[in-house]
Amino acid sequence: MSRFLSARYSDIEPYTPGEQPKSTAQLIKLNTNESPFPPSPNVIKALNESEISKLNLYSDPDTKDVVDALSKTLGVSPSQIMMGNGSDEILAFTFQAFCDREHQPCFADITYGFYPVFASIFGLQPEIIPLREDFTICAEDYFNKNKTIFIANPNAPTGLSLSLSDIKNILQHNKDNIVLIDEAYVDFGGETALPLINKYDNLIVCRTFSKSRNLAGARLGFAVSNEQVINDLCKMKFSFNPYNINRLSIIAGREAALDTEYFNFCVEKIIKAREKTVSELKKRGFFILDSKTNFIFARHPDISGENFYNALREKNILVRHFGNERIKDFVRITIGSDEQMDKLIIAADEILKENKK
Ligand code: PMP
């Protein structure tokens, strides 16, 4: 830390992103919930020399091309959508716009690790609501909080999902507060809250192109809400970084949003690979939470989460382990290609053989 850093940031513990190794040539990378598939062929075609040669010009601050494409695909008005530089930026703007001393944030003890970091950088005191013993969310715990509520649905890193009726209940019991539903993983089997947007003016749905649309590197996320709330979020964006989405990402997003066929193909493949992996790992004694995402959260009675993580790492398979006491026995494994998952199973067999109790 330099002697110049503002005192208000001196205690902040930044978010630790999953490792992004330089060379992934021999590595099976199952640690950051990316898609194993390339972007839509239409994205690759559209990012041509002619578009690259326009990089001397600023991008469209209204990101109209990608907003219109999403509007068509999702069936909501363009005025109900705002794009972010990843959904992380949407989350940041939401904390900034809708949290303060009178409206502190609240979220689960086990959820996306960036929520506490945003709370801390914006000088907030979040209320942390423990998940139940079985890692599910108890909807009643979120009733009448008078706080800004953040819920990842499906949740990460558990992979468990909350029903639409529970979300409706939470919205109903917090009519004067914003409820953000983070649907980063919803396309892999969760129930979206999008149909509730026009019924509840306190709802923000936060989505990303990083998982089911194979564009983690393009950094594209978006918020869907009513026009007034979107205008509030735009106020944050236009006071911070009006050109938050670069020219190439706007094009990539437009093409990815419109290519429903490729989207369905990839999502179906990942769900199939997930179900097969779960069934194979369960046969080997793993306990796995019921995942509705592109990752699974698994533990085995014979080996600690940390040791399993390290043993896989030695075999060039990278997964994610979290040190938090409640979940330290688990590892989070991103669902990759069929071939990658076959290799994971072979590696698990070898590790379990060496660690048999
Ligand atoms: N929400 C959740 C629950 C996540 O796991 C992630 C991915 N790390 C994000 C939001 C942010 O994703 P991105 O910024 O790539 O859209």
Side-chain angles (χ1 to χ4, degrees), residues 15 32-33 84-89 91 111-115 152-156 182-185 206-211 215-216 219-222 295 320 332:
Y15 178 70
T32 46
N33 301 339
N85 194 303
S87 53
D88 282 339
E89 193 178 51
L91 293 169
T111 189
Y112 184 31
F114 221 140
Y115 301 161
N153 188 38
N155 198 8
D182 179 348
E183 295 190 347
Y185 301 103
C206 180
R207 291 267 191 104
T208 182
F209 281 68
S210 297
K211 319 293 176 185
L215 280 175
R219 309 304 301 124
L220 273 176
F222 58 100
F295 59 84
R320 192 102 197 247
R332 191 194 69 189

Side-chain angles (χ1 to χ4, degrees), residues 316-355:
N316 286 328
I317 299 178
L318 195 53
V319 298
R320 192 102 197 247
H321 175 255
F322 300 92
N324 178 315
E325 191 57 33
R326 270 192 89 178
I327 53 171
K328 66 178 182 0
D329 292 340
F330 288 82
V331 293
R332 191 194 69 189
I333 305 168
T334 301
I335 302 300
S337 64
D338 291 341
E339 196 193 358
Q340 288 176 322
M341 300 328 279
D342 288 346
K343 287 187 179 153
L344 171 89
I345 301 292
I346 293 169
D349 276 339
E350 290 167 3
I351 295 165
L352 290 176
K353 215 164 147 192
E354 287 156 20
N355 286 273

Side-chain angles (χ1 to χ4, degrees), residues 29 34 59 63 146 148 150 162 177 210 217 228 305 347:
K29 190 173 178 305
E34 291 141 324
S59 57
T63 66
N146 195 27
T148 303
F150 293 83
L162 196 62
N177 291 92
S210 297
Q228 286 79 15

